[in-house]
Amino acid sequence: MYDTILLPTDGSEATTDAAIHAFSHAEQYDATIHVLSIVELSSGPGTAGRDDEELDRRRRERMAAAERLVEAHAAEGVDSTTAVRVGSPARVIAEYMTEAGVDLAVMSTRARSGAKRFIFGSVTEQVIQASDTPVLAVQR
């Protein structure tokens, strides 16, 4: 049913909940799992987080976090790959799903409502709207 599963991670604890589901699905369907971490550049004025040294540091941190998820959750025999990309999370995730031929994305989401949801939005919700790929949203 699923050959390629995507687990986007922001390094938060909520991702751990999604990882449990993602790796379980990968094992059940003998699917390859892609763990994708995104370095989001600051959107404000200035160059915070945009210089090469800082960007490289953040990429290394994100790769290490993605590799820890694989080490903690991958069952023996589950093929996995890790990747780090730079950009807007929802856009990068949607692009990656197309590039990698993802059949299912498993994403964490926080239960927000009212003004907080309106102001902050939801990366998971944006991905659902931007992609034709099924998304399993795991609520924290």
Side-chain angles (χ1 to χ4, degrees):
M1 179 170 214
Y2 302 115
D3 294 320
T4 307
I5 297 172
L6 175 64
L7 172 64
T9 178
D10 61 2
S12 71
E13 193 173 311
T15 303
T16 302
D17 295 337
I20 293 166
H21 290 280
F23 282 98
S24 174
H25 277 69
E27 184 177 17
Q28 179 178 354
Y29 294 107
D30 194 27
T32 299
I33 189 158
H34 291 242
V35 180
L36 173 65
S37 189
I38 299 146
V39 175
E40 185 174 11
L41 297 177
S42 77
S43 59
T47 59
R50 293 181 187 212
D51 65 77
D52 290 341
E53 190 174 305
E54 175 66 12
L55 196 54
D56 286 343
R57 182 189 66 76
R58 292 173 65 194
R59 279 187 176 129
R60 285 190 306 274
E61 285 177 355
R62 292 299 182 142
M63 181 58 78
E67 290 170 346
R68 281 192 301 274
L69 275 175
V70 171
E71 290 171 13
H73 298 285
E76 191 172 321
V78 172
D79 291 332
S80 64
T81 186
T82 55
V84 175
R85 300 279 175 94
V86 177
S88 170
R91 181 185 52 76
V92 170
I93 292 166
E95 288 173 357
Y96 190 93
M97 289 192 321
T98 300
E99 290 170 19
V102 170
D103 301 307
L104 174 69
V106 180
M107 299 180 67
S108 62
T109 185
R110 292 175 185 87
R112 287 190 190 131
S113 61
K116 281 186 180 179
R117 183 170 182 182
F118 178 75
I119 292 168
F120 296 113
S122 163
V123 172
T124 302
E125 186 175 337
Q126 292 170 20
V127 170
I128 290 169
Q129 292 175 359
S131 175
D132 293 330
T133 302
V135 176
L136 172 60
V138 178
Q139 187 170 320
R140 170 106 172 128

